[in-house]
Amino acid sequence: MYVQELEPVADSLALSALVAALPLLTVLVLLGGARMKAHLAGLIGLLAAVLVAWLAYGMPLGQTASSAAQGAVFGLFPILWIVVNALWVYRMTVRTRHFDVLRRSFGRLSDDPRVQALVVAFCFGALLEALAGFGAPVAICSVMLVALGFDPVRAAVVALVANTAPVAFGAMGTPVVTLAQVTGLPLDDVASVVGRQTPLLALVVPLVLVGLVDGRRGLRETWVPALACGAAFAVAQFAASNFLSAQLADIVAALAGAAALVAVPAARRPAAEPVRAAVLTGVRSEELDEEDPRREVVRAYAPYALIVLVFSVAQIPVVKDLLDRATRRYDWPFLDVVGADGAPAGGNVFTWPVLSTGGTLVLIAGLGTAAVLGVRAGTAAREWLATVRELRFAILTVTSVLALAYVMNLSGQAATIGHFVAAAGAGLAFLSPVLGWFGVAVSGSDTSANALFGALQVTAAKESGLSPVLLAAANSSGGVLGKMISPQNLTIACAAVGLAGREGDLLRKVLPWSALLLLVMCLIVVAQSSPVLGWMLP
């Protein structure tokens, strides 16, 4: 049995926290300072975590390696199992050219570029974030906006800023699922609180987008459809995350936002020529004028309808119980850890949700997609393998970061840092979103930031008397605002629209919005930790 210690270095909490922070500092310096590739930085950070656990905390090498192995396995299943299958569905729509049909369908909804930015970057971007995440919405939406005639810089900025409100529930809820796993908090509790924070961002972001597209005139002339879109998105995201399913939150919200835009008459009015001339400074793709048969348009929307259907059926109590019966629980080998308080660590037991996990449900929807789109079995299998190959470095990054997180959590490093950070007291509520924002800004992933800092937030909350669920959720909600300034996302945006090497230009344009929205989120969390907005929490 390994018993965690809080002050293993010279019986000093401060010195122990400094040593415990070395793996995190290693990853952050390598990513942010040395500009090392994320998978290499993750592996080196993992090595640092293993050395600290072994040499400073006295955790036996066998148990340390077992902790890392469990983190890597969790990274593969269910986390990457979701991402691979979701991206596979998208690749099949591209291969059959139904994604082009979908893009043309969006282009015909409105000729007003400000409304097009809401449809493509905010609503469809949220749907892509729900299905794939990991930079896919920024890359795809940027290209679509350029095809509609947007200037490349403006298209990239709009796509980056839009990729905020849906991030916490992206990739079929991967960030909140990871957060619940590493903190030991119930998924429904975490998703419920995040669903009472990020919807408040959704009310603001569409207004920011129309301002970015057309300045004050855009706000003055299109604030009604922007507010309607944001309000519908916010209400749907709150309702789905609290009463339906964390995995469905962004899908339902994206569809609700799009439906609100279609329903508002102001969104369908033709744009004045001066507006189009001022905004659409690029070259509009001629492919947008092609007419598509109604049958093909229906098939283009079918994959997303299938995913909603499969996840909705999975929430029916009888079906949910049937899927849960396939869940397996194992005593993880070579691991016997108790905390400093003598309670067994959650990592001693590994839970494998074979059928009820989001990745398996997406796989089922993907098989239906292949049938609807007419993709042969062999072609679908090759596309799945190609998806794995495309994600190979992301797979290595996620598994190494989660292995690092598990070593830090089970060795006691995260607990030491949490107890030290708890000295911030009430100020911790303000700092919690900042920590998540910093983690995502460096790693480019809300999932990674939750894995790195989730347990730390919970420990600090318990020590300072704040709600562990609130601060854990704040880590994820604050993190979404770091996505637009992460080097990974900036590089993806520049590569997508042909602006390679101009990441600094984009950063200067989006950084003020990232900082301003982060301040808003910090104030929201502080208010929720007090009687001012404490009534919002479940």
Side-chain angles (χ1 to χ4, degrees), residues 11 17 22 32 43 84 131 165 177 281 296 340 351 357 401 430 479 483:
D11 292 327
L22 288 176
L43 289 171
V84 167
L131 299 178
V177 169
T281 54
E296 295 306 311
T351 302
T357 186
V401 167
F430 186 88
K483 197 80 180 278

Side-chain angles (χ1 to χ4, degrees), residues 42 119 191 255 258 347 439 463 485:
V119 172
L255 296 176
E463 288 300 306
I485 63 168

Side-chain angles (χ1 to χ4, degrees), residues 36 64 135 191 252 274 356 410 417 465 473 516 527:
M36 183 177 286
T64 305
V252 174
S356 60
L410 290 171
I417 299 172
L516 178 61

